[in-house]
Amino acid sequence: MNMRKGIIILCVLTMASCAGLGDYQQGKGVLRVSFANEAADCSKAVPDMPDTSDFILKIHDSKGNVVYDGVYSACPEALEVAAGSYTVSVMSHMFEAPAFSSPQYGDEQCVIVPSSGVVNVRLLCTQMNAGVRLSVSKDFLTGCPDGVLFLKSAKGKLMYGYSEKRTAYFSPGTVSLMLSQGGNDRIVMSRTLEAQDMLTIKVTVASSSADTGPDKGRISVSVDTARNWINDSCVIGGEADKGAVPADALTVSQALASVGCTDVWLCGYIVGGDLTSSKASFSAPFSSRTNLVLGPRSSTVDRDACLSVQLPAGDLRDALNLVDNPDLLGVKVFLRGDIVDSYYGMTGVKNISEYDFR
């Protein structure tokens, strides 16, 4: 697995500045993990990338002891850990053998958590494997009618049909194009690929009326270098036009920084309700039908990381309130409304006109 590694100490805060985290025990600190670019946005830049809420997150200490191993969205907002070094890794899914349409994304970082401090780990969302696509010409079909093409690596191979349009993904390393014909297999070409490389190979058969010798119908392979690009898919662009449609909804963290925006779509997880000017409830049962708490992930219980939501009277309140719909706790929702500076002492959402579950 070829992932960015480094040792970083980020955002170390003293106990006095850590309101809401409680008193630290001697020799302990707090570890927070999030994505440098929010989960919902990465998939907009790369259509085949899964929601980062479902990424596999693993955290272990220098001795290999597991602190957390599960989906990212279920990880607590803040983890109290013993002071020391930790490895934090995340991946979209396990990738052990070549597969079609299976780009793998993730990151790995080593961090040092100091005693009585807070470390914020900001994970990047980059492609970890490499992709190969064949462009098979019509003359190959006539020149090698019984030939079968394979893409192979040390971890396996994939048959690449002449009409195949999908991209085949491989772990970084050597990938070969193999032709199987008449009971014989031979390597046509090999390339060493690194993480994020995306390679297109054009396959043709060189033949003419002058070709009468043993090389008649020989295969010709060329590399389309214009397609050999480094995947830069998770660098999210400007936010000025975000929120116009549900597919481009603001995340909770982006909404927190977008006070004053009106009639915009935003998305998050319904994590609580029963708001007061200083508190919120994050567990059932609930008693208020007029408000919700929207968090960046389904496990969030940190009020300061959330948005307060005003539910207008009518069908929308009936459909979203947690008193009548307790099963919505932890569910992702898309809302269209205005982002205001304060609602129950929090950055809030008012004047909701539409909602959607996706």
Side-chain angles (χ1 to χ4, degrees):
M1 188 164 59
N2 185 9
M3 297 185 289
R4 185 175 64 84
K5 297 181 179 179
I7 298 179
I8 56 174
I9 303 178
L10 298 176
C11 304
V12 180
L13 308 177
T14 64
M15 282 195 294
S17 65
C18 294
L21 291 174
D23 294 331
Y24 295 114
Q25 298 180 26
Q26 183 65 29
K28 290 199 171 186
V30 168
L31 185 63
R32 292 176 178 268
V33 180
S34 62
F35 282 89
N37 292 309
E38 283 291 336
D41 295 314
C42 293
S43 59
K44 300 184 184 83
V46 187
D48 53 8
M49 198 183 89
D51 188 339
T52 50
S53 297
D54 300 324
F55 275 35
I56 303 167
L57 175 65
K58 296 183 179 182
I59 304 172
H60 63 266
D61 64 18
S62 58
K63 296 180 180 180
N65 297 316
V66 176
V67 175
Y68 181 82
D69 187 353
V71 295
Y72 168 76
S73 61
C75 180
E77 196 77 13
L79 293 165
E80 187 178 53
V81 296
S85 62
Y86 292 84
T87 299
V88 181
S89 64
V90 69
M91 64 181 71
S92 56
H93 63 282
M94 298 298 292
F95 185 86
E96 299 177 349
F100 285 108
S101 303
S102 188
Q104 183 192 41
Y105 297 89
D107 189 20
E108 180 176 282
Q109 296 182 20
C110 294
V111 299
I112 298 175
V113 179
S115 178
S116 301
V118 176
V119 172
N120 291 313
V121 181
R122 301 286 280 173
L123 294 163
L124 297 177
C125 195
T126 57
Q127 185 177 315
M128 298 158 59
N129 52 9
V132 181
R133 191 177 72 176
L134 300 185
S135 176
V136 183
S137 68
K138 292 181 179 180
D139 61 2
F140 181 87
L141 305 183
T142 56
C144 299
D146 60 341
V148 180
L149 294 171
F150 292 88
L151 288 168
K152 62 174 294 185
S153 71
K155 295 187 176 182
K157 66 181 181 179
L158 295 172
M159 185 177 74
Y160 207 100
Y162 300 152
S163 60
E164 182 63 69
K165 300 298 182 183
R166 296 174 297 173
T167 298
Y169 285 86
F170 296 82
S171 297
T174 300
V175 178
S176 300
L177 173 62
M178 182 177 75
L179 173 65
S180 179
Q181 187 176 32
N184 297 314
D185 297 337
R186 66 184 179 99
I187 301 299
V188 178
M189 67 167 289
S190 296
R191 288 288 185 273
T192 299
L193 300 179
E194 298 181 355
Q196 303 184 55
D197 280 356
M198 300 294 288
L199 180 67
T200 295
I201 302 173
K202 295 181 179 179
V203 183
T204 62
V205 172
S207 61
S208 69
S209 57
D211 288 330
T212 57
D215 289 334
K216 180 179 180 179
R218 65 186 182 275
I219 296 175
S220 173
V221 177
S222 65
V223 177
D224 181 1
T225 55
R227 295 283 301 189
N228 193 346
W229 49 276
I230 299 301
N231 191 328
D232 199 22
S233 59
C234 288
V235 177
I236 308 301
E239 309 296 336
D241 57 348
K242 289 186 63 59
V245 294
D248 198 32
L250 294 165
T251 63
V252 169
S253 64
Q254 290 167 343
L256 288 169
S258 303
V259 172
C261 290
T262 59
D263 197 32
V264 293
W265 282 95
L266 55 99
C267 65
Y269 293 86
I270 299 173
V271 295
D274 291 354
L275 284 162
T276 69
S277 60
S278 60
K279 296 181 180 180
S281 177
F282 293 94
S283 59
F286 297 94
S287 59
S288 175
R289 292 179 171 83
T290 65
N291 59 73
L292 292 175
V293 178
L294 208 65
R297 63 182 85 171
S298 61
S299 60
T300 299
V301 292
D302 183 352
R303 188 175 187 270
D304 293 337
C306 298
L307 292 167
S308 56
V309 178
Q310 182 186 59
L311 297 178
D315 293 342
L316 194 145
R317 178 183 292 178
D318 294 341
L320 296 181
N321 81 81
L322 287 173
V323 177
D324 300 318
N325 307 282
D327 56 323
L328 290 181
L329 189 65
V331 172
K332 188 174 185 179
V333 65
F334 291 74
L335 302 174
R336 182 178 182 180
D338 303 336
I339 303 173
V340 299
D341 178 60
S342 181
Y343 176 59
Y344 280 111
M346 304 164 58
T347 301
V349 184
K350 290 186 174 183
N351 304 319
I352 298 174
S353 58
E354 295 182 68
Y355 71 94
D356 195 5
F357 296 103
R358 295 188 171 212

